[in-house]
């Protein structure tokens, strides 16, 4: 039983690793398209707005003695749970991130 569980876990981690590589490749393609379309000035504006947002998040959380962001246990206590959550909320998360980035100066 342990051997089977270890094999399943290894397969899941391998799958996750491939997904991370694919996500990074897609991100790099999208980023290059953004830079080519909007130019370096837009990139600097986007970075400045991200820094501002980051500073705001961490200063807002400091009153709760929180110095980092982490997902709640309800998102998933293990890899299987996190993968189910990611699949369930993938589309809405992309839309939320797109809205945030556009509101921070992306074009």
């Amino acid at each position: 039983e342990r051997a089977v569980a270890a094999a399943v876990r290894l397969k899941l981690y391998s799958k996750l690793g491939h997904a991370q590589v694919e996500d990074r490749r897609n991100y790099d393609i999208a980023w290059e398209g953004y830079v080519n379309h909007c130019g370096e000035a837009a990139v600097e504006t986007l970075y400045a707005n991200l820094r501002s947002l980051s500073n705001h998040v961490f200063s807002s959380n400091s009153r709760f003695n929180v110095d980092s962001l982490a997902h709640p246990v309800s998102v998933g206590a293990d890899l299987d749970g996190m993968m189910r959550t990611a699949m369930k909320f993938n589309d809405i998360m992309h839309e939320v991130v797109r809205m945030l980035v556009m509101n921070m100066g992306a074009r």
Side-chain angles (χ1 to χ4, degrees):
E1 226 173 88
R2 278 187 167 181
V4 171
V8 168
R9 179 174 280 136
L10 181 63
K11 185 177 180 181
L12 286 172
Y13 276 101
S14 175
K15 198 174 189 180
L16 180 61
H18 289 293
Q20 287 174 326
V21 169
E22 183 66 21
D23 282 351
R24 181 59 198 214
R25 187 179 75 75
N26 289 338
Y27 168 83
D28 289 342
I29 290 168
W31 184 254
E32 184 176 331
Y34 173 76
V35 171
N36 289 341
H37 178 74
C38 297
E40 287 296 326
V43 173
E44 289 306 315
T45 300
L46 181 60
Y47 279 147
N49 288 333
L50 286 171
R51 275 190 296 277
S52 175
L53 178 62
S54 176
N55 292 338
H56 174 73
V57 167
F58 287 112
S59 67
S60 295
N61 285 334
S62 66
R63 65 184 170 189
F64 303 111
N65 294 322
V66 175
D67 61 0
S68 65
L69 299 176
H71 71 274
V73 175
S74 62
V75 169
D78 58 20
L79 183 59
D80 289 335
M82 292 182 77
M83 293 294 281
R84 283 191 301 274
T85 299
M87 289 171 64
K88 181 178 177 182
F89 293 105
N90 185 54
D91 292 340
I92 194 166
M93 285 305 301
H94 278 90
E95 187 57 32
V96 167
V97 170
R98 184 177 98 42
M99 181 190 65
L100 284 171
V101 170
M102 296 303 280
N103 285 329
M104 289 188 294
R107 295 183 207 143

